[in-house]
Amino acid sequence: GPTEEGPHTTGSDDCNSHGASVPETHALPRPGSGCGAPTPPGDGRVTPVTGVLHTWGPWVRHDGGVQSVQHIGRPEAVPLLSVVVPAYNSADYLDRSLTSLIGYGTALEVIVVDDGSTDATPAMADAWARAHPDVIRVIHQANAGHGGALNTGIAAARGTYLKVLDSDDWADRRAMVDLLNQLGADRAAGREIDLVVSNYVYEKQGKNHKAAIRYRNVLPRGRIFGWESVRRCRQDQYLLMHSLVYRAALLRRSGLVLPEHTFYVDYLYSFVPLPLVRTIRYVDVDLYRYFIGREDQSVNEPVMISRIDQLVRVNHAMVAAMPPRDAVDPHLYRYMAHYLMMNSIVCSIMLVLSGTPEHIAEKERLWRDLDATDPDAARAVRSTLMGRLVALRGRSGRLVQVGLYRSARG
């Protein structure tokens, strides 16, 4: 998450680089300019989207064909889904993000957390809330970074389920309808789902090729399951914040409090609550559109190196959150060790690329601390060839690590 020097972005753009190519469908228009009243419909009028979208109880249904979506008519006491949109100096992107979240009735509530923005973001967010008072709420706060904004949004959310959408990203409308359908059906039937997983798509600036990150090789489809049904991830595959919808009560019960003024807290968001998750559903739709390619994004190599202290801080927090091996399902432990390995690899490579004596020493210390703090997790992280190579010490180890990184980057 940013402090006042930059916008909110999320970590590890390139770690999930292998995905299916998808056509540029359901793409939203570029954001509008200025901070006047937003023009997208959704305040009780028919909203033009792809497919027929009818209200159906507290959620929405689509059948394909002529276009139509309507509000349910009365605000729900408990929205089905809360979407938290942390926003810092997001005037160039906020319209696009919020456009993708309007038109589903009051089953979906939007909480925009203006994190001390100094551009037109506060006025734009307020204009959206005035136009859609039953759907959008805005919270203005002093700058606290991505983690601080998420903490505020999570505390304010009223929905049964919660999702995060960064203000420079957007949601696919048809996929959102499919997600709401499933969430609504489960809630109406009294089925309590702790974690819902969907796909995300890399929207690289200036690129027509879209890479969709899906989980068909890992997660069963069409049923509720537990960790015992989760298969092994590919080496480069894991559940990012973009793919997750938590049951809000579980997220709060996890005690998750993200560090303020710290980037890369999305690692913690998608890691710390997992030991409480008992029931999972995979909704195989390409929901989250992840916009990447800006030079100031936190996942660009020079930016990551400049903020390596924050990435290391997150790594230490992940190590502290790692559960004892015998306290959780072995499939969950395997996955959490896999995710910790990925974060440790990113930390190690960035420290090596920096090349300063201080950062080289920090890289060695990172692995020593893991060995000392959690020997079981250290062994699990080193159980793969990649983990062993990145944990290598000395100059020869660093040369191997840089070579692996450059090869993976192409």
Side-chain angles (χ1 to χ4, degrees):
T3 56
E4 49 276 358
E5 75 269 16
H8 291 303
T9 51
T10 52
S12 303
D13 285 337
D14 294 308
C15 293
N16 269 353
S17 58
H18 294 92
S21 176
V22 297
E24 192 169 1
T25 56
H26 313 301
L28 293 169
R30 297 293 298 174
S33 59
C35 57
T39 57
D43 52 352
R45 298 168 291 169
V46 172
T47 303
V49 294
T50 302
V52 174
L53 302 171
H54 306 287
T55 56
W56 184 255
W59 61 95
V60 191
R61 187 185 68 199
H62 77 72
D63 303 308
V66 182
Q67 302 167 349
S68 165
V69 76
Q70 297 178 345
H71 275 252
I72 292 167
R74 64 176 181 83
E76 292 184 276
V78 180
L80 185 56
L81 177 66
S82 296
V83 179
V84 175
V85 182
Y88 176 79
N89 286 358
S90 302
D92 290 341
Y93 310 100
L94 188 62
D95 280 348
R96 178 177 62 186
S97 180
L98 296 183
T99 296
S100 74
L101 298 176
I102 291 298
Y104 311 98
T106 53
L108 187 153
E109 75 160 355
V110 181
I111 302 167
V112 181
V113 182
D114 163 38
D115 191 39
S117 298
T118 58
D119 65 354
T121 297
M124 292 175 68
D126 288 344
W128 274 95
R130 287 193 299 271
H132 306 280
D134 292 338
V135 176
I136 297 179
R137 287 186 287 151
V138 180
I139 300 172
H140 300 282
Q141 68 177 28
N143 182 265
H146 197 209
L150 289 181
N151 291 336
T152 298
I154 292 168
R158 297 183 297 116
T160 301
Y161 296 95
L162 187 143
K163 185 165 186 64
V164 175
L165 182 74
D166 282 332
S167 57
D168 53 350
D169 301 330
W170 66 95
D172 181 274
R173 297 190 68 86
R174 181 179 291 277
M176 179 63 81
V177 169
D178 289 339
L179 174 68
L180 291 172
N181 282 347
Q182 187 62 67
L183 295 179
D186 284 333
R187 189 171 77 170
R191 295 187 289 264
E192 195 171 79
I193 315 300
D194 294 335
L195 179 66
V196 179
V197 180
S198 58
N199 310 322
Y200 65 96
V201 178
Y202 284 113
E203 296 279 352
K204 291 194 176 183
Q205 191 171 21
K207 301 287 186 181
N208 291 325
H209 175 79
K210 313 296 180 184
I213 307 303
R214 303 182 177 117
Y215 302 95
R216 297 166 184 169
N217 62 311
V218 177
L219 306 177
R221 287 178 280 179
R223 65 181 178 90
I224 300 167
F225 56 92
W227 290 108
E228 70 281 355
S229 298
V230 175
R231 297 182 289 274
R232 289 183 182 273
C233 293
R234 295 191 309 264
Q235 189 85 342
D236 64 341
Q237 186 181 34
Y238 45 93
L239 303 174
L240 287 184
M241 181 177 71
H242 316 318
S243 60
L244 303 183
V245 172
Y246 282 115
R247 187 166 58 85
L250 178 139
L251 190 60
R252 296 189 183 100
R253 186 160 60 92
S254 74
L256 177 70
V257 178
L258 297 169
E260 297 185 353
H261 300 294
T262 303
F263 285 84
Y264 315 112
V265 296
D266 50 304
Y267 280 109
L268 297 173
Y269 179 88
S270 44
F271 187 81
V272 173
L274 295 184
L276 293 182
V277 170
R278 297 292 182 269
T279 52
I280 309 169
R281 184 185 285 282
Y282 175 38
V283 180
D284 185 14
V285 294
D286 297 344
L287 174 64
Y288 195 107
R289 299 291 170 144
Y290 181 16
F291 182 59
I292 58 174
R294 299 195 321 269
E295 291 184 358
D296 61 346
Q297 265 186 307
S298 62
V299 292
N300 285 346
E301 181 183 310
V303 178
M304 293 186 80
I305 292 173
S306 71
R307 295 169 180 157
I308 189 61
D309 61 316
Q310 298 173 47
L311 190 57
V312 171
R313 189 182 312 152
V314 167
N315 179 268
H316 289 322
M318 291 178 70
V319 172
M322 193 73 185
R325 179 185 286 274
D326 59 359
V328 296
D329 184 280
H331 296 77
L332 170 59
Y333 190 86
R334 181 183 68 198
Y335 171 74
M336 294 186 73
H338 170 74
Y339 197 21
L340 177 60
M341 178 194 69
M342 289 298 178
N343 179 268
S344 300
I345 287 173
V346 172
C347 285
S348 298
I349 294 296
M350 292 302 124
L351 288 165
V352 169
L353 289 174
S354 168
T356 68
E358 295 79 11
H359 285 166
I360 296 301
E362 180 63 39
K363 187 259 183 182
E364 306 295 333
R365 184 161 54 248
L366 182 146
W367 290 93
R368 286 200 305 271
D369 288 349
L370 177 59
D371 290 334
T373 303
D374 193 335
D376 283 343
R379 283 191 291 271
V381 166
R382 287 189 175 89
S383 65
T384 66
L385 176 61
M386 183 67 73
R388 290 193 293 274
L389 290 174
V390 175
L392 289 174
R393 298 174 181 174
R395 183 174 181 276
S396 59
R398 294 193 294 273
L399 289 174
V400 169
Q401 292 145 19
V402 171
L404 287 172
Y405 174 74
R406 298 302 185 200
S407 176
R409 298 274 295 184

